[in-house]
Amino acid sequence: MAITRRQFMQGLASVSAGAMLGPGLLMRTAEAAVSAEGSWKTTGSHWGAIKALVKGGKVAEIKPLEQDKYPTEMIKGVMGVIYNPSRIRYPMARLDWLKNRENSDRTQRGDNRFVRLTWDEALDLFYEELERVQTTHGPAALHHSTGWRQTGQVHSCGNHMARALGMHGNSVASIGDYSTGAAQGILPYILGSTEVYSQGTSWPLILENSKTVILWANDPVKNLQVGWNCETHESYEYLEQLKGKVANGSIRVISVDPVRSKTQNYLGCEQLYVNPMTDVPFMLGIAHTLYTENLYDKKFIETYALGFKDFIDYVMGETDDKVEKTPAWASAICGIDEDKIREFARLLASDRTQLLFGWAVQRQQHGEQPYWMGAVIATMLGQIGLPGGGISYAHHYSSIGVSASGASAPGAFPRNIDAGKAPKHPSTDYKGASSTIPIARWVDSILTPGEKIEYNGSEVIYPEIRMVVFSGCNPWHRHQDRNRMKQAYRKLETAVTIDFTWNATCRFSDLVLPACTQFERNDIDIYGSYSNRGLLAMHKLVDPLFHSRTDFDIFTELCRRFGRHEEYRRSMDEGQWLRHLYNACRDENQKAGFKMPEFDEFWEAGYIDFGAGKPWVRHADFREDPELNALGTPSGFIEISSRKIGRYGYDDCKAYPSWMEKAERSHGGPGSDKFPLWLQSVHPDNRLHSQMCESEEFRATYTVQGREPVFMGPEDAKARGIADGDLVRVFNDRGQLLAGAVVSDNFPPGVIRIQEGAWYGPEDASIGSLDTYGDPNTLTMDIGTSRLSQATSANTCLVNMEKFKGTAPAVTSFGGPIEVEV
Amino acid sequence: MNADWRHPALCNWFAGLFAAELTAEQLQAYQRGEGEAVLVSLSELPDLTEAVKRLRNAINGLTLLAHPQLELAADFASMFLLDGQNSPPPYASFYSSEGSRFFAEPQARMQERLEASQQEVSADFREPSDHLSVMLEYLGDGFAAHQETAERSNSGPTLDQIKTFVEEELLNWLPAFAARCQKVKTVSDLYPALAALLLEFCKGLPALDEALANESAKAASRL
């Protein structure tokens, strides 16, 4: 039967009535056409300051800002982030959670159907869950966390989340971070501060005064590509000079590392190979040599340090273990010839020596010990506080070592509830549990609520966490042991994630809210996290894509649900906050003699330069007057041994630095017969942790058969029949992953590398499922470094590997839920 | 086969279905059989019988679901809303030679077309201009303007221009899109069937003859 036009139109009207969208997706525009030439805008990022050509409402080209003389290749990945095909485009909820909320089937997490929500629906649900958790269980049931957020002081997402959720109610807080947890635990006892996030001796003074520079597990050429605020890459100028001095023999640089690092290859410097995780025996052998050969600075120790005797008794075998830590003893563990240990110790003491430590050695079980020992050696050398001498734990980070200009950085949107205000749910009843836990122990807390652990001289009782909220944070990258995380997530009632691309954290969540990227909002940032070299306007390049919103908007609207949105944003919008932060910074800087123009002029120019700072020596003031400028240690002096730590009675962090065998260790250590390879999961060369892994074209520049590279030496490859470019299954009893082999002479036998930040993509949601892309934390161990710091032990990890045979599963890391049981 | 009065409306019908999830009201209308007139009209077009039958079966199958609206919304999300890894994003750019990226050259071309006709994507929709629904609505508007031109001598596009748009801007990616649509695990076959039907519908468009005015006149006489 033929359908008449009337019947057709009636039917069409009937099935179209009540549609979500109005009659037309297109509308007439009155706006003038955008200029075909486009315009260049300035903005910043962790990867550096950039200029972007915006044409026809789109980012067409990105190049480094003129001030950046050593830009990173990574800015080539920025467009792949903005226009990524796995952008979170709408607020989404996991279907079974939407139907059943806290009673949902949690085994489906990571492998489940989602539905789209309107922003109002999504924020109502978010708010309802917060209400339910606060009223039913109280603050012990809620935990939220952030990480390396996007840059920008107005929109810093962790601040927005913390302020909004803090105005609603209390929650389980965390302390420390995944990068430097053990350092933050130990160094305040030894040197009086965490050291890792503090300005260090200026590079020009190192270049001028040091005769020897030791890079201890430190790869600054790799790691200085990114910074906490907008990175300036100024350190590279000094590294270039150092390279010249290595070449002309005026400075000797030795990289103490099992691996030939990017920095070593760049500088053309020497390497001293040490077995993985055995830096402490090596250092004890050095201390033994310095002591027995009378090469240590007694006067410095007497004036500036305490506790040397307790330590040296241990070195000389006069404590409980009765083992003298001779170079011969050390050599058997660390793999360095005993004469070489002596020679190295003598070299350190022979002239001005700058020790530059990386963070990798403290991201292992007992990670406090190598950092403590580093400080002890530096103290024995007596050069702390001298230009080009002493020890640094941070010259590989955020251009530390580039002199600070002295100018003030802009403040930020506040993180905390305003003084005098109380949360809507003011309860502080944690039901006998702790209100704060070490950051790397949140999975333990979910799995074993009520358990007591020791931590930094106190006791922590794990709260029963039922709801988590993550913003600007990818715990499914940074935390260890994915299969254990899967078990924990089966206990969680609700997980909310605010992010801009579908990653594993989103897939394992119940409610996913799309934030826009930093390139879709106006902001302001300091140029140079520690050098404060200038002030950068972060021009919005394009409007928030799809239905994404700024964190500012998201949390303002959340607060509106309990009537406190005006208090939340202090009745200011984005533009007003920009001016407010700028003007406060301007007032502060004018007092110090740094002139800043009116806001509009700054915004138009895009950048203000504060100029270079003056050279500075870390701990010089302490050296000059240790009474007046006492350290923040209990005694005010360097504590070679710590009575305070001793009183804690920990067997895994004693009163003096000591060698303790690891739960697993390669090169003849425990477990190496079954899993002979040490897996190091260093900071990546081509990402900022997990940021930018999603950028497809850029990722393709380093992947192997679409997988994260696993770097290995020729011997280990040959022994397993693996060739460069092969797919490899890497495994241990904790998990398994696929990666692509890169065979390189940089790697010695028994050592392989998979860079952290590779996005997790299991074949399915089952425990033990093969990770299809190569996230090393599928294999790492989720234990605390010690009772002192309870930090991550990611670098204590043994594995084996084999050439992958059969049909490789598709990579599942870069998208939404991967397999749906329908 | 000539372009006729059905084409603008059918394009808009497809556009609506790919733009958003079905509301309860829409779903009930389909379940009451009120979509039948549209389906019959489609089945009258050449080579669409089987594809229409598949869609009709999918609609009829919805009665078996306890929560059809929610399940369809989840299917819609799995198909079109999540990511470019597992699902077929409904954007021309994703299938272009520039690699799997949004806002690529096809979006720029579509944007130029919209600007040339002083149009933009509605603020409520907040999608790039190469979203399938935007392109289908643009196509539907083209058919309507062409029809008006034939009837009233306005300056709408020629049928050749419309065919060129279909061939160069839709048929260059719809086969890949429709193929990916068949691979997504869904509870209902509605959206995979709809994608297959759209592909067949668009494949038929370049064969349309330039006889719109006559056909329209005939159609009008049937009212």
Side-chain angles (χ1 to χ4, degrees):
Chain A
M1 182 195 81
I3 296 290
T4 66
R5 188 168 186 171
R6 182 186 301 275
Q7 287 170 320
F8 177 86
M9 290 303 180
Q10 275 176 341
L12 194 61
S14 173
V15 294
S16 304
M20 277 185 210
L21 293 158
L25 307 173
L26 293 171
M27 53 188 257
R28 287 270 157 206
T29 175
E31 279 181 34
V34 184
S35 142
E37 287 77 33
S39 60
W40 287 93
K41 297 188 176 189
T42 301
T43 189
S45 70
H46 292 300
W47 300 279
I50 55 178
K51 297 208 88 160
L53 177 63
V54 180
K55 226 168 151 178
K58 279 194 319 188
V59 181
E61 189 184 336
I62 281 178
K63 63 182 185 184
L65 196 72
E66 300 78 21
Q67 282 81 353
D68 190 347
K69 305 298 180 207
Y70 301 86
T72 170
E73 286 284 295
M74 277 187 260
I75 61 169
K76 291 180 181 167
V78 166
M79 279 171 65
V81 170
I82 302 173
Y83 298 117
N84 194 275
S86 292
R87 280 285 297 259
I88 305 164
R89 310 199 300 270
Y90 323 92
M92 306 290 290
R94 190 167 69 89
L95 180 59
D96 197 65
W97 177 83
L98 193 64
K99 286 178 183 167
N100 300 303
R101 304 289 272 276
E102 69 269 27
N103 299 314
S104 75
D105 177 0
R106 298 159 198 168
T107 62
Q108 297 183 12
R109 281 229 175 83
D111 189 8
N112 202 202
R113 288 154 69 73
F114 278 75
V115 290
R116 171 161 63 176
L117 304 173
T118 64
W119 268 108
D120 275 344
E121 289 168 338
L123 290 170
D124 284 347
L125 282 168
F126 190 2
Y127 177 59
E128 281 170 24
E129 274 304 280
L130 290 170
E131 280 286 304
R132 180 186 70 79
V133 166
Q134 290 288 357
T135 54
T136 313
H137 305 291
L142 175 67
H143 176 57
H144 52 85
S145 191
T146 187
W148 263 76
R149 92 269 197 281
Q150 304 180 91
T151 56
Q153 296 297 91
V154 174
H155 289 287
S156 192
C157 65
N159 289 21
H160 283 278
M161 176 180 65
R163 179 169 169 86
L165 299 190
M167 284 173 58
H168 181 262
N170 295 307
S171 59
V172 176
S174 59
I175 188 164
D177 63 42
Y178 280 77
S179 296
T180 63
Q184 291 178 50
I186 189 70
L187 291 178
Y189 290 96
I190 314 308
L191 293 171
S193 81
T194 64
E195 297 286 313
V196 287
Y197 301 132
S198 306
Q199 184 56 280
T201 298
S202 306
W203 275 112
L205 295 175
I206 294 174
L207 291 164
E208 194 182 324
N209 296 287
S210 301
K211 291 289 174 274
T212 305
V213 172
I214 305 298
L215 295 167
W216 207 299
N218 192 355
D219 200 352
V221 172
K222 168 167 69 70
N223 293 327
L224 286 166
Q225 295 177 86
V226 297
W228 177 250
N229 295 93
C230 185
E231 180 51 48
T232 63
H233 303 120
E234 292 166 283
S235 295
Y236 286 94
E237 181 186 338
Y238 303 114
L239 287 165
E240 199 169 37
Q241 292 175 32
L242 184 60
K243 182 183 167 83
K245 286 180 180 281
V246 169
N248 68 26
S250 57
I251 294 185
R252 190 171 173 189
V253 179
I254 302 173
S255 170
V256 178
D257 203 311
V259 171
R260 200 182 297 161
S261 70
K262 187 175 183 180
T263 305
Q264 184 193 336
N265 287 328
Y266 170 78
L267 293 175
C269 69
E270 300 164 60
Q271 179 193 7
L272 184 56
Y273 167 88
V274 58
N275 280 338
M277 292 189 280
T278 65
D279 304 80
V280 169
F282 175 35
M283 292 168 169
L284 288 166
I286 295 168
H288 187 279
T289 304
L290 294 176
Y291 182 69
T292 56
E293 297 189 7
N294 205 21
L295 298 172
Y296 68 108
D297 189 333
K298 290 179 220 54
K299 190 159 178 260
F300 184 83
I301 291 172
E302 279 165 19
T303 313
Y304 298 99
L306 293 177
F308 184 63
K309 183 175 183 314
D310 289 349
F311 166 72
I312 216 67
D313 284 352
Y314 168 70
V315 171
M316 299 310 291
E318 288 159 14
T319 51
D320 292 349
D321 69 349
K322 305 290 178 203
V323 175
E324 189 175 350
K325 313 303 178 303
T326 61
W329 167 85
S331 175
I333 304 169
C334 73
I336 303 172
D337 182 83
E338 60 177 293
D339 287 335
K340 254 195 170 165
I341 296 174
R342 290 189 191 94
E343 211 177 277
F344 187 78
R346 290 168 197 146
L347 172 73
L348 299 185
S350 65
D351 210 324
R352 189 66 53 85
T353 298
Q354 179 71 56
L355 301 170
L356 302 176
F357 272 62
W359 292 345
V361 288
Q362 53 89 55
R363 295 185 83 243
Q364 59 174 264
Q365 192 184 15
H366 313 131
E368 297 84 1
Q369 305 306 312
Y371 263 36
W372 194 348
M373 267 309 300
V376 170
I377 287 175
T379 306
M380 291 178 80
L381 295 174
Q383 298 176 9
I384 289 174
L386 292 178
I391 187 164
S392 158
Y393 298 94
H395 271 73
H396 61 288
Y397 176 64
S398 292
S399 285
I400 279 176
V402 175
S403 306
S405 65
S408 293
F413 184 86
R415 182 182 181 82
N416 298 320
I417 189 167
D418 289 341
K421 300 281 186 183
K424 180 185 180 207
H425 297 280
S427 169
T428 53
D429 179 9
Y430 285 78
K431 301 189 172 162
S434 302
S435 60
T436 301
I437 58 174
I439 193 165
R441 303 272 59 84
W442 64 281
V443 168
D444 287 358
S445 191
I446 294 169
L447 285 170
T448 56
E451 187 184 320
K452 286 181 192 173
I453 61 161
E454 287 169 294
Y455 167 64
N456 202 14
S458 62
E459 191 177 68
V460 167
I461 300 173
Y462 286 145
E464 186 163 9
I465 296 169
R466 295 164 184 269
M467 177 177 181
V468 292
V469 185
F470 292 106
S471 178
C473 181
N474 184 1
W476 284 82
H477 123 71
R478 76 179 181 183
H479 196 74
Q480 284 60 58
D481 197 343
R482 294 286 164 266
N483 288 311
R484 198 161 179 267
M485 286 183 75
K486 280 184 180 172
Q487 287 170 334
Y489 264 61
R490 289 180 178 185
K491 292 190 74 185
L492 271 181
E493 291 173 1
T494 298
V496 180
T497 296
I498 302 114
D499 212 318
F500 52 84
T501 311
W502 280 97
N503 56 26
T505 299
C506 298
R507 287 197 298 275
F508 278 84
S509 293
D510 303 305
L511 191 57
V512 179
L513 304 180
C516 62
T517 71
Q518 65 184 79
F519 307 105
E520 296 152 48
R521 60 199 195 191
N522 290 307
D523 217 316
I524 188 173
D525 199 14
I526 192 73
Y527 187 53
S529 307
Y530 292 86
S531 67
N532 290 16
R533 178 65 202 235
L535 194 65
L536 194 72
M538 296 173 67
H539 296 148
K540 177 164 81 171
L541 305 184
V542 292
D543 287 329
L545 295 188
F546 305 100
H547 288 242
S548 66
R549 287 184 175 181
T550 64
D551 298 271
F552 189 120
D553 286 347
I554 293 169
F555 285 103
T556 298
E557 292 309 308
L558 181 72
C559 290
R560 190 186 296 276
R561 278 152 174 81
F562 53 101
R564 290 175 68 171
H565 53 288
E566 289 300 340
E567 176 192 334
Y568 171 76
R569 62 180 189 172
R570 293 186 184 163
S571 300
M572 290 190 281
D573 61 17
E574 178 195 75
Q576 290 166 319
W577 269 101
L578 268 176
R579 285 170 189 273
H580 171 70
L581 295 181
Y582 179 85
N583 289 334
C585 179
R586 184 167 175 253
D587 290 347
E588 201 60 35
N589 276 326
Q590 262 164 354
K591 285 181 216 159
F594 293 95
K595 285 193 177 165
M596 288 167 60
E598 292 290 333
F599 176 81
D600 290 336
E601 192 183 325
F602 155 72
W603 193 251
E604 174 73 26
Y607 178 68
I608 298 171
D609 194 286
F610 292 135
K614 290 181 188 143
W616 180 84
V617 178
R618 180 146 193 88
H619 293 311
D621 56 344
F622 168 67
R623 190 179 185 99
E624 188 184 312
D625 190 335
E627 300 289 341
L628 195 64
N629 304 310
L631 299 179
T633 56
S635 63
F637 296 99
I638 299 167
E639 299 211 357
I640 293 174
S641 301
S642 166
R643 286 186 186 172
K644 193 167 181 184
I645 293 176
R647 281 199 295 273
Y648 298 157
Y650 299 153
D651 59 0
D652 52 6
C653 188
K654 297 170 188 166
Y656 42 79
S658 56
W659 162 243
M660 287 162 278
E661 186 56 276
K662 312 300 165 209
E664 51 191 60
R665 183 171 65 78
S666 61
H667 300 80
S672 58
D673 47 347
K674 188 175 179 190
F675 296 111
L677 305 173
W678 178 54
L679 170 67
Q680 57 164 222
S681 46
V682 299
H683 187 275
D685 193 18
N686 296 300
R687 293 185 292 266
L688 163 55
H689 295 308
S690 73
Q691 291 191 44
M692 205 173 271
C693 193
E694 76 269 39
S695 187
E696 299 209 352
E697 285 168 50
F698 189 68
R699 188 173 72 248
T701 63
Y702 61 83
T703 49
V704 177
Q705 293 193 42
R707 322 282 159 157
E708 182 72 10
V710 51
F711 299 90
M712 64 188 76
E715 276 187 46
D716 288 326
K718 193 177 169 197
R720 291 164 179 79
I722 296 167
D724 191 83
D726 279 348
L727 275 192
V728 174
R729 188 177 81 98
V730 187
F731 58 94
N732 60 18
D733 288 338
R734 291 180 288 272
Q736 52 172 340
L737 61 80
L738 277 187
V742 176
V743 181
S744 159
D745 288 332
N746 289 335
F747 293 83
V751 175
I752 67 170
R753 167 185 291 187
I754 304 177
Q755 298 175 119
E756 49 99 342
W759 282 20
Y760 182 56
E763 271 193 292
D764 55 52
S766 66
I767 307 285
S769 168
L770 179 72
D771 172 38
T772 59
Y773 179 68
D775 169 10
N777 280 323
T778 307
L779 304 165
T780 52
M781 192 169 15
D782 184 14
I783 59 164
T785 50
S786 76
R787 287 165 176 78
L788 188 85
S789 308
Q790 295 287 2
T792 178
S793 298
N795 279 331
T796 299
C797 181
L798 293 193
V799 300
N800 205 345
M801 63 181 177
E802 63 186 13
K803 183 172 172 173
F804 181 77
K805 290 176 187 144
T807 309
V811 172
T812 67
S813 307
F814 307 100
I818 47 166
E819 188 173 311
V820 176
E821 292 302 324
V822 296
Chain B
M1 184 68 194
N2 300 319
D4 66 23
W5 52 271
R6 289 172 294 194
H7 284 93
L10 287 172
C11 288
N12 286 336
W13 176 75
F14 277 119
L17 286 171
F18 284 105
E21 300 85 339
L22 289 176
T23 61
E25 197 179 336
Q26 284 180 288
L27 184 60
Q28 284 160 10
Y30 279 108
Q31 289 185 312
R32 286 194 302 266
E34 289 166 15
E36 195 53 26
V38 178
L39 296 182
V40 170
S41 295
L42 277 162
S43 65
E44 287 171 0
L45 298 174
D47 302 324
L48 295 191
T49 315
E50 284 306 307
V52 170
K53 195 172 158 193
R54 181 178 164 191
L55 181 61
R56 186 180 284 119
N57 286 343
I59 293 170
N60 293 339
L62 295 175
T63 51
L64 301 173
L65 300 177
H67 305 286
Q69 192 199 350
L70 211 47
E71 296 295 350
L72 276 180
D75 281 355
F76 188 89
S78 300
M79 299 272 297
F80 309 125
L81 306 183
L82 283 176
D83 65 74
Q85 176 182 264
N86 307 301
S87 64
Y91 308 97
S93 289
F94 182 79
Y95 305 87
S96 71
S97 57
E98 288 174 67
S100 308
R101 188 190 274 187
F102 291 157
F103 289 85
E105 199 49 43
Q107 188 271 339
R109 291 198 302 269
M110 197 59 210
Q111 192 65 27
E112 275 176 30
R113 285 177 181 275
L114 293 182
E115 280 167 15
S117 58
Q118 286 186 302
Q119 284 182 298
E120 63 183 5
V121 178
S122 135
D124 291 342
F125 196 43
R126 293 184 69 174
E127 294 284 358
S129 45
D130 63 339
H131 187 286
L132 177 57
S133 294
V134 173
M135 298 179 84
L136 289 170
E137 187 166 315
Y138 177 81
L139 176 64
D141 289 352
F143 273 121
H146 172 68
Q147 188 176 327
E148 246 179 62
T149 301
E151 287 171 2
R152 298 177 198 163
S153 303
N154 286 347
S155 56
T158 66
L159 191 58
D160 278 347
Q161 285 173 318
I162 291 175
K163 286 192 218 176
T164 303
F165 175 76
V166 171
E167 282 172 332
E168 293 183 356
E169 302 293 355
L170 284 170
L171 286 175
N172 60 340
W173 66 280
L174 281 183
F177 166 76
R180 281 179 70 126
C181 285
Q182 310 312 312
K183 290 180 184 164
V184 180
K185 288 185 188 174
T186 52
V187 165
S188 160
D189 190 40
L190 189 141
Y191 288 110
L194 184 70
L197 176 60
L198 173 70
L199 176 62
E200 294 308 315
F201 173 76
C202 288
K203 276 158 78 174
L205 296 179
L208 290 175
D209 296 332
E210 186 76 66
L212 182 68
N214 292 340
E215 191 62 28
S216 295
K218 270 189 239 166
S221 70
R222 289 215 305 253
L223 290 174

